Amino acid sequence: MYSQGLIGADSSTTESEEFLKAFQARVDREEKIEPNDPMPEGYRRTLVRQIGQHAHSEIVGMLPEGNWITRAPSLRRKIALLAKVQDEGGHGLYLYSAAETLGVSREQMTEELLSGKAKYSSIFNYPTPTWADIGAIGWLVDGAAIMNQIPLCRCSYGPYARAMIRVCKEESFHQRQGYEIMMTLAKGSEEQKEMAQDALNRWWWPSLMMFGPSDSESTNSDQSMMWKIKRFSNDELRQKFITATVPQAEYLGLTIPDPDLRWNEKTQAYDHGEIDWAEFKAVIKGDGQMNRDRLRARNKAWDEGAWVREAALAHARKRADMKPIAQEAAE
Amino acid sequence: MAAAVASAEDAVLRAILEIADDGLILGHRLSEWCGHAPMLEEELALANMGLDLLGQARALYAHAGALEGKGRTEDDFAFLRRERDYVNCLLVERDNRDFAHTMLRQLYFAAFMQPFWHATVQTSSDETLRGIAAKADKEMSYHLRHSGEWVIRMGDGTEESAARMADAVNELHRYTGELFMVSPARQQAIAAGLLPDPESLRDEWDETIATVFRAAKLELPEIRTMQKGGRDGIHGEDMGHLLAELQFMQRAYPGQTW
């Protein structure tokens, strides 16, 4: 799953003109930047923040869908959903590892998430009251994630780009799975169709918000584009998503909840209604319906797991102490 | 209801449902951890083990349905029976409680099921069961290794983890007897050469548990009375709540395709 267009990074940097030029030239030659290569501090900081937000989104994203694992309607769906949420955890793991190559520890990033300092994608602060939400999340949220992440496979930072290749393969599978759930509902009973439409109504606008503020408001975009961390602007990606998704909704016989949505022959794209940016800002600031519950759940798991992690460390230390004795005995 | 067994066919069906229900209920319990595990690596491991067990249950229900020949599907078995008709052992339905309880429950179960499936591959007269067993044997070897390592880490970790492990042993050991109890249905399946006799697996189970406990510095408790009831459909009070959740969609929206 995905992290937002980057939220609030500071890409300012203090290196010499010559250093920055040489770095830019490497980026422009499409050379991958690797962990031990010289890089501007602003580049490192931007990536730490972006990869961190992305990793946190995967982890927090396990909660809304995890809400339905124990209630999935069939064994096939239950297994698929558990495997999907497990994939999200796996993505979190690669992403934390990718961020660690930039000199930040997983513990540090985890603490920032738990304290509420680090951000994660706003989409996961919406509740999942019905089974159809599982379909809508797969279809729309993973669909939006793919739009964002495919260009990240070409990101200038090597470890992030490589992590994204595997993540994208899995996301694309999740998206098809979500669409298939929606299709089953759309072809089902009246009650199921209503459930599908209701989920689309609730997830459409938050999915559009996943691409981040519009280009005129997005402060970090230019520098990120220059450094080829980012390849397309927020609005470009959002537009691509809409163009891909509208026909999918039509095929399902569902209605996109935007009365202003219409095809524009001139631009060869869909015009759409105004996004509620006040809602977006409120959710980012922690005032979405589920923000507090999400953080509470993460903190609870972390706190209740503390004794397990301590036990594992204590045991490993005992083992390490025992080793020399065993070696001695062998000699 | 888990009533007296009428015929040889019914007995075989019942015996297969016993192991299928074990997989379903323990798989469900493990899935409850998703998003709440003590560390990310364990999120993945717990989900993995849950997926293995749910996959085994699915294959076994499908086989049970085919043997029965009345058109019941895997979902009919998993979602549409009454609580008294589920015949899993009590151990697997015990609540997750904490990581010590969860890992010990897994160890007890895997230490039994790994040799169980291994023997099924070697001796079962039922080809489908041998196929299911071959996959499950490998899966349960992993569960055994993973849970065994954790029991050792927690048993010989900190003071708190040792106390929690000891507590888990005290709580759960009394449910292990049921793994070896043979219902009349199971007896017929054993006699027909479909499934191994649990008694033949007891030495291996005892040895596995003793080895892990020695390394974990845990003691085997004296058990006055081993608990039983699951194989007769008499479950603990948590079971109804588990089923209310598991069956929610099928009960709230009957007869629909998902």
Side-chain angles (χ1 to χ4, degrees), chain A residues 2-3 10 17 53-54 66 70 86 100 116 121 137 151 163 175-176 196 223 240 250 265 269 278 281 311 316 318 331:
Chain A
Y2 170 63
S3 90
D10 171 11
E17 195 70 13
Q53 283 177 10
H54 193 161
T70 55
Q86 185 194 34
E100 280 182 320
S121 184
I137 290 179
Q175 200 254 353
R176 272 178 286 165
Q223 185 62 74
K240 271 177 189 244
E250 281 166 3
E265 270 302 326
K281 280 180 194 151
K318 288 183 193 177
E331 280 162 13

Side-chain angles (χ1 to χ4, degrees), chain A residues 36-108:
Chain A
N36 293 326
D37 293 349
M39 64 184 83
E41 192 45 32
Y43 178 82
R44 198 192 66 82
R45 211 168 38 232
T46 302
L47 275 166
V48 165
R49 183 172 286 229
Q50 175 159 342
I51 301 172
Q53 283 177 10
H54 193 161
H56 298 326
S57 301
E58 301 284 355
I59 302 305
V60 177
M62 295 171 79
L63 296 170
E65 289 180 288
N67 184 35
W68 278 93
I69 292 171
T70 55
R71 291 180 294 167
S74 69
L75 281 179
R76 182 169 89 91
R77 294 292 185 206
K78 191 180 184 71
I79 287 173
L81 181 59
L82 179 55
K84 184 198 167 178
V85 179
Q86 185 194 34
D87 283 349
E88 315 291 0
H91 298 171
L93 204 51
Y94 325 138
L95 286 161
Y96 283 127
S97 303
E100 280 182 320
T101 64
L102 291 158
V104 57
S105 71
R106 193 160 118 196
E107 289 69 30
Q108 219 174 316

Side-chain angles (χ1 to χ4, degrees), chain A residues 54-216:
Chain A
H54 193 161
H56 298 326
S57 301
E58 301 284 355
I59 302 305
V60 177
M62 295 171 79
L63 296 170
E65 289 180 288
N67 184 35
W68 278 93
I69 292 171
T70 55
R71 291 180 294 167
S74 69
L75 281 179
R76 182 169 89 91
R77 294 292 185 206
K78 191 180 184 71
I79 287 173
L81 181 59
L82 179 55
K84 184 198 167 178
V85 179
Q86 185 194 34
D87 283 349
E88 315 291 0
H91 298 171
L93 204 51
Y94 325 138
L95 286 161
Y96 283 127
S97 303
E100 280 182 320
T101 64
L102 291 158
V104 57
S105 71
R106 193 160 118 196
E107 289 69 30
Q108 219 174 316
M109 287 184 277
T110 303
E111 272 167 30
E112 288 184 1
L113 171 67
L114 296 177
S115 69
K117 190 179 163 216
K119 301 291 180 199
Y120 57 86
S121 184
S122 58
I123 195 85
F124 304 119
N125 294 313
Y126 293 85
T128 52
T130 78
W131 169 252
D133 293 332
I134 300 308
I137 290 179
W139 172 37
L140 300 173
V141 177
D142 291 311
I146 292 166
M147 285 295 165
N148 260 311
Q149 289 173 355
I150 296 254
L152 286 174
C153 297
R154 294 189 293 127
C155 166
S156 59
Y157 188 59
Y160 193 27
R162 288 188 290 271
M164 276 306 105
I165 292 171
R166 174 156 178 189
V167 168
C168 279
K169 281 186 191 153
E170 293 179 351
E171 295 295 6
S172 136
F173 183 69
H174 298 167
Q175 200 254 353
R176 272 178 286 165
Q177 200 170 278
Y179 192 69
E180 200 247 330
I181 292 176
M182 293 303 275
M183 186 111 78
T184 308
L185 296 176
K187 285 186 178 162
S189 66
E190 271 313 304
E191 211 174 10
Q192 286 175 308
K193 259 181 248 175
E194 275 170 30
M195 196 189 275
Q197 181 64 54
D198 169 60
L200 172 58
N201 293 350
R202 285 180 290 107
W203 291 96
W204 175 253
W205 292 105
S207 298
L208 297 189
M209 293 176 198
M210 281 177 70
F211 296 93
S214 66
D215 296 348
S216 55

Side-chain angles (χ1 to χ4, degrees), chain B residues 65 147 229:
Chain B
S147 58

